[in-house]
């Protein structure tokens, strides 16, 4: 069986009609790949369209302020991707005169670009025979060849990259790379793959040995850290609200949020007054506060779960300069905050 020919043949009959498949413009391909990292196509597509509309060229993206970029990115998570995208756009526009690097070895030097993204851009935009290896590719290769090396181990990363490089159709690398990724996304799915109508079935080792559900193998994730967030939604009678920017490195860097108190455990209403007085000099001007959500909102990130409460604190006058509530939606905020804003009637 010719693996590459079968994959490409399947792709020609089953590929989705997606906008970035109608171009070899490296800017658009780069944009799509950054958006689709850790994001499904159905979720990422509207973001891609919004970015292309707002920033039709790499110069437009480079000349935009970061706040606008983060606002458009809002809801996708992993905000460092957006910051790196903006940083690299400015580098290409200002240092390279808008000329996108055209080889894998140069593309991978861009901030926020790793092996997978560099391989995708180099092959799709410039025809370089560099094999992509993403979650879909790991799954297809692991099952077809019956490989149980953990895909997130150093050995596994090297092994699967070498295998994909050996299999790639050097005459049409863009087609092969897109085909194997699409095959993993739509045919050889993580759960309930379509094995009975799979063109690779007769030679698939996992299918023959009833190991589809066992492959690929992945090393156990790190323990999930629990954190307890208390957001202070501080409002005054003039319809102003406190908002602050997260400037430190870490989750949601440069996004905006309500003042935050992090506690070691979940606090009750009776405990909240003490917590508030210990952390902020706000109590003298408060005339009312209450808990918005009796049940904690649990926001799940890759290595931590945020157990979150929103406290509505009303003032006659805010203790520090706020912003008009009417402008709140113009600020880029984490999805956790945006969900609250959407539910709360200001």
């Amino acid at each position: 069986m010719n693996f590459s020919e079968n994959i490409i043949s399947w792709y020609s009959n089953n590929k989705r009609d997606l906008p970035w498949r109608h171009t070899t413009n490296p800017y658009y391909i780069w944009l799509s790949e950054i958006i689709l990292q850790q994001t499904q196509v159905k979720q990422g597509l509207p973001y891609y369209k919004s970015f292309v509309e707002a920033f039709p060229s790499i110069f437009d993206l480079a000349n935009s302020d970061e706040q606008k970029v983060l606002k458009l990115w809002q809801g996708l998570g992993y905000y460092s991707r957006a910051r790196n995208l903006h940083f690299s756009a400015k580098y290409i526009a200002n240092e390279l005169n808008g000329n996108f690097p055209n080889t894998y070895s140069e593309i991978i030097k861009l901030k926020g670009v790793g092996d997978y993204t560099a391989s995708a851009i180099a092959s799709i935009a410039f025809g370089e025979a560099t094999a992509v290896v993403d979650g879909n590719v790991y799954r297809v290769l692991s099952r077809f060849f019956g490989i149980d090396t953990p895909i997130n181990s150093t050995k596994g990363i090297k092994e699967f990259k070498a295998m994909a490089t050996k299999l790639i159709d050097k005459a049409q690398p863009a087609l092969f790379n897109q085909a194997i990724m699409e095959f993993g996304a739509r045919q050889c799915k993580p759960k309930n793959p379509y094995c009975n109508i799979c063109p690779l079935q007769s030679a698939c080792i996992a299918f023959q040995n009833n190991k589809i559900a066992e492959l690929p193998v992945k090393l156990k994730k790190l323990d999930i850290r629990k954190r307890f967030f208390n957001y202070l939604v501080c409002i005054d009678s003039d319809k102003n609200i406190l908002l602050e920017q997260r400037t430190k490195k870490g989750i949601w860097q440069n996004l905006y949020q309500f003042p935050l108190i992090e506690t070691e455990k979940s606090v009750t209403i009776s405990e909240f007054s003490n917590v508030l007085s210990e952390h902020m000099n706000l109590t003298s001007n408060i005339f009312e506060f209450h808990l918005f959500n009796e049940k904690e909102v649990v926001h799940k990130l890759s290595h931590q779960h945020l157990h979150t409460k929103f406290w509505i604190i009303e003032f006659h006058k805010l203790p520090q300069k706020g912003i008009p509530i009417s402008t709140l939606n113009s600020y880029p905020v984490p999805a956790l905050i945006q969900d609250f804003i959407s539910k709360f009637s200001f």
Side-chain angles (χ1 to χ4, degrees):
M1 171 182 286
N2 188 307
F3 180 90
S4 299
E5 285 183 5
N6 274 273
I7 287 284
I8 291 172
S9 175
W10 176 92
Y11 180 68
S12 66
N13 295 316
N14 294 278
K15 64 181 178 181
R16 288 168 288 185
D17 184 18
L18 300 170
W20 49 84
R21 290 179 175 163
H22 296 281
T23 182
T24 56
N25 184 324
Y27 167 59
Y28 291 136
I29 294 166
W30 173 50
L31 185 59
S32 70
E33 292 298 342
I34 297 298
I35 287 173
L36 293 176
Q37 288 175 8
Q38 298 162 307
T39 307
Q40 293 183 348
V41 167
K42 64 181 179 181
Q43 181 189 8
L45 182 56
Y47 284 91
Y48 174 82
K49 291 179 177 177
S50 295
F51 264 79
V52 169
E53 183 178 350
F55 313 119
S57 76
I58 201 163
F59 291 102
D60 296 309
L61 177 57
N63 292 329
S64 176
D65 63 86
E66 186 181 82
Q67 185 168 320
K68 183 177 180 181
V69 175
L70 292 174
K71 183 63 180 176
L72 276 178
W73 194 269
Q74 185 174 294
L76 270 178
Y78 299 96
Y79 290 90
S80 60
R81 291 184 291 168
R83 292 191 294 271
N84 290 337
L85 187 77
H86 191 218
F87 179 93
S88 292
K90 290 190 287 186
Y91 168 74
I92 294 168
N94 300 326
E95 303 298 325
L96 304 181
N97 299 315
N99 296 312
F100 205 99
N102 60 9
T103 63
Y104 170 89
S105 60
E106 290 300 315
I107 296 169
I108 201 168
K109 294 177 184 177
L110 297 175
K111 191 172 183 180
V113 171
D115 173 73
Y116 162 75
T117 304
S119 297
I121 299 169
S123 62
I124 298 170
F126 302 109
E128 187 176 347
T130 51
V132 297
V133 184
D134 70 347
N136 293 312
V137 176
Y138 278 124
R139 187 164 55 256
V140 173
L141 297 181
S142 175
R143 288 173 174 173
F144 184 79
F145 292 101
I147 303 170
D148 58 6
T149 308
I151 62 175
N152 57 341
S153 65
T154 301
K155 180 182 178 183
I157 291 169
K158 290 180 180 178
E159 184 176 348
F160 282 98
K161 179 69 175 183
M163 180 167 290
T165 299
K166 184 178 179 181
L167 291 169
I168 193 171
D169 187 324
K170 292 179 174 57
Q172 40 190 354
L175 190 59
F176 174 82
N177 278 341
Q178 292 178 91
I180 193 170
M181 288 190 289
E182 187 80 335
F183 189 85
R186 306 194 69 198
Q187 179 76 31
C188 193
K189 301 186 299 178
K191 295 181 180 179
N192 303 315
Y194 299 118
C195 295
N196 292 333
I197 55 170
C198 178
L200 304 181
Q201 182 206 94
S202 63
C204 177
I205 292 177
F207 180 79
Q208 293 171 356
N209 293 283
N210 196 29
K211 288 189 174 182
I212 293 293
E214 299 173 25
L215 296 172
V217 174
K218 196 170 185 180
L219 296 175
K220 187 179 178 182
K221 287 185 177 181
L222 297 173
D223 291 336
I224 300 295
R225 177 188 175 194
K226 276 188 178 183
R227 300 177 70 182
F228 299 91
F229 279 16
N230 297 274
Y231 282 113
L232 313 182
V233 185
C234 301
I235 306 169
D236 70 11
S237 55
D238 293 325
K239 295 188 176 179
N240 293 314
I241 189 167
L242 289 185
L243 201 66
E244 60 186 24
Q245 190 174 29
R246 292 178 68 99
T247 55
K248 293 182 179 179
K249 289 187 176 181
I251 62 169
W252 304 330
Q253 183 183 356
N254 293 347
L255 296 186
Y256 289 80
Q257 65 179 15
F258 304 120
L260 171 66
I261 295 176
E262 184 172 355
T263 51
E264 293 183 358
K265 62 181 182 65
S266 179
V267 294
T268 64
I269 294 175
S270 61
E271 294 169 328
F272 180 69
S273 290
N274 292 331
V275 171
L276 189 60
S277 61
E278 288 173 5
H279 286 78
M280 300 181 75
N281 184 25
L282 298 175
T283 52
S284 60
N285 200 26
I286 294 174
F287 68 85
E288 186 177 331
F289 75 81
H290 65 273
L291 177 61
F292 175 75
N293 54 312
E294 293 289 343
K295 184 178 180 181
E296 289 177 337
V297 176
V298 181
H299 189 72
K300 296 182 178 180
L301 302 173
S302 55
H303 297 306
Q304 52 189 319
H305 291 174
L306 310 180
H307 296 252
T308 310
K309 290 182 176 180
F310 291 88
W311 301 87
I312 313 303
I313 307 175
E314 298 183 45
F315 293 82
H316 293 291
K317 186 173 180 60
L318 290 176
Q320 58 198 66
K321 186 177 179 181
I323 63 165
I325 289 175
S326 59
T327 66
L328 186 56
N329 277 313
S330 67
Y331 290 83
V333 298
L336 176 64
I337 302 290
Q338 186 59 54
D339 288 345
F340 167 80
I341 292 171
S342 301
K343 292 175 183 176
F344 187 77
S345 297
F346 284 104

